[in-house]
Amino acid sequence: MANTEAATGAARQRGATNNLEAFWMPFTANRQFKQAPRMLASAAGMYYTTADGRRILDGTAGLWCCNAGHARPRIVEAIAAQAKELDYAPAFQMGHPKIFELAARLVTYMPPGIDHVFFTNSGSESVETGLKIALAYQRAIGQGSRFRLIGRERGYHGVNFGGISVGGIVNNRKMFGTLLTGVDHIRHTHDPERNAFSRGMPRHGAEFADDLERLVALHDASTIAAVVVEPVAGSTGVLLPPQGYLEKLRAICDKHDILLIFDEVITGFGRLGKPFAVDYFGVTPDIVLTAKGVTNGVVPMGAVFVKKDIYEAFMQGPEHMIEFFHGYTYSGNPIATAAGLATLDTYEEEGLLTRAGELAERWADGLHAMKGLPHVIDVRNCGLVGAIELEPIAGQPTKRAFAAFLEAYEKGLLIRTTGDIIALSPPLIVEPQEIDFLFDTLRGILKTLD
Ligand code: PXG
Ligand code: PLP
């Protein structure tokens, strides 16, 4: 018996380390990875530890989600306690007290008027939920002819069908057929000729918002339900809104009674130096999509915020009837809820939702000092977000930035690359000397990059 157990244990160990084949990894070059795996074994605070025992500074907050850093005690304890107390509660026609508490707390972060929240389990699900709310709302108020959804070129809105339809990243769309019908896109705002190396928001390009008027002229406003944009486009490589652009988009939506949806999956929960991009830019959309930082990335959860009149438009008809035929098995999952409450406690106690603002100058200094290094063609910054765009190797796009990523990992730093853009987004607990380490390391790498 003991022998069998030992043998099983040994097999498990071997399996854990040797059999990499079964797992089809997401958004990863599987064959390349499995030849030279990069395994993370543990994490605490600002650092990962690799399976071979090296300490890696987390320059990306996981995937833009661990805003309070790793293994934060309050969150860890809350999850453990919740698992013992109430592990799961049916999400439909039943409730549990903490999810109501989390909703009530979350809406206090939103501008006045945005006061209801629908729970999902990821950014992708938040996107689907927000788009469905927009369409159903238009029907509910007698505007059923408004069936069109407008996204933006280079937008990332997750990977489900609605999200890739309004999204604008070609590799995420081209393999998947016709997608949603009735979708169109406004142009992206990237304009390196006029705006390269801007510190903060670029000066030129508010007029790109007028592209929405072009689509109104083409389709007529009476067919358009909603426009969805990321206030700061993250996944495509950090594209910042030109000064005045979001205000203009809001004004055009108002003029034509089109709903404006902000996808704050990355910008939410302190990334820009204010709790949300709605605060940072002072522009209030009708629907705000979030995920990631709501639970510090520790347990999957997303949250879709809506204006009061949107919620109220659904609360019609007989009271025994379900008002919105939508929801997930894990909407408001108790363990995610406990993680969410403890995450908000941590953010509040440590002032993390505004800390990026305090560090933003030093961050921008470090980033913009990369100008002039070989192959660097643009640098962009906002809050604790940064991008360094490299000139691609002729005929081999993505290779140069990926080489920097591999080199950084060897030197104890985790960065993200998308195309030939290096994207940086450390946990909001980052210390100034860690910012210095990050940029010193990167400078060393960029100096010697082929
Ligand atoms: N909307 C936006 C704006 C996002 O950034 C999603 C939706 C989808 O969220 P989920 O939880 O379904 O992944 C995202 C996610 C990167 C990177 O490195 C960005 C995301 C995810 C993974 C990597 O840029 N954004
Ligand atoms: N597929 C089947 C067969 C299901 O029964 C369900 C949920 O009950 C789903 C998909 C959706 O799963 P989820 O609610 O976790 O998104």
Side-chain angles (χ1 to χ4, degrees), residues 47-294:
Y47 294 89
Y48 282 109
T49 303
T50 62
D52 55 353
R54 295 186 306 114
R55 208 166 79 126
I56 308 280
L57 181 76
D58 183 1
T60 60
L63 284 177
W64 311 80
C65 50
C66 305
N67 290 5
H70 299 277
R72 302 310 311 274
R74 259 183 174 283
I75 304 172
V76 173
E77 285 155 22
I79 292 168
Q82 187 61 46
K84 280 192 187 153
E85 186 183 302
L86 174 69
D87 53 356
Y88 179 79
F92 309 160
Q93 304 287 16
M94 296 298 290
H96 62 97
K98 285 185 185 142
I99 192 62
F100 291 89
E101 184 189 343
L102 181 61
R105 273 180 77 176
L106 281 172
V107 296
T108 65
Y109 290 96
M110 284 287 130
I114 299 187
D115 58 2
H116 285 82
V117 57
F118 194 101
F119 287 103
T120 71
N121 309 287
S122 68
S124 295
E125 287 184 1
S126 287
V127 169
E128 305 302 301
T129 299
L131 297 178
K132 287 174 76 175
I133 289 174
L135 291 173
Y137 166 75
Q138 298 290 10
R139 291 245 325 198
I141 62 165
Q143 293 282 318
S145 68
R146 291 182 181 264
F147 62 89
R148 263 181 231 287
L149 299 167
I150 307 293
R152 187 169 62 188
E153 294 167 359
R154 296 194 64 170
Y156 186 74
H157 299 292
V159 293
N160 293 341
F161 271 106
I164 62 174
S165 300
V166 293
I169 296 181
V170 64
N171 284 333
N172 294 353
R173 293 163 52 87
K174 70 183 182 195
M175 303 297 279
F176 309 110
T178 55
L179 311 182
L180 279 191
T181 55
V183 170
D184 211 339
H185 296 76
I186 55 176
R187 63 152 298 169
H188 65 73
T189 64
H190 193 37
D191 188 358
E193 280 76 31
R194 291 193 293 171
N195 290 325
F197 298 104
S198 294
R199 198 174 158 117
M201 297 314 129
R203 279 186 37 222
H204 305 287
E207 72 279 5
F208 293 142
D210 293 331
D211 210 36
L212 182 55
E213 289 283 14
R214 177 179 66 87
L215 295 187
V216 168
L218 176 66
H219 298 298
D220 200 73
S222 67
T223 70
I224 301 176
V227 175
V228 57
V229 294
E230 302 159 87
V232 170
S235 200
T236 189
V238 184
L239 303 183
L240 303 170
Q243 292 172 23
Y245 171 88
L246 292 172
E247 291 86 337
K248 212 162 186 193
L249 208 54
R250 175 73 271 184
I252 298 170
C253 287
D254 282 345
K255 179 174 153 199
H256 298 294
D257 292 324
I258 296 168
L259 294 175
L260 179 60
I261 305 175
F262 275 1
D263 186 341
E264 290 223 43
V265 167
I266 279 177
T267 56
F269 300 99
R271 179 55 52 199
L272 304 184
K274 299 274 184 180
F276 288 86
V278 298
D279 311 304
Y280 187 89
F281 294 108
V283 174
T284 303
D286 302 289
I287 298 176
V288 178
L289 314 176
T290 72
K292 295 192 189 262
V294 65

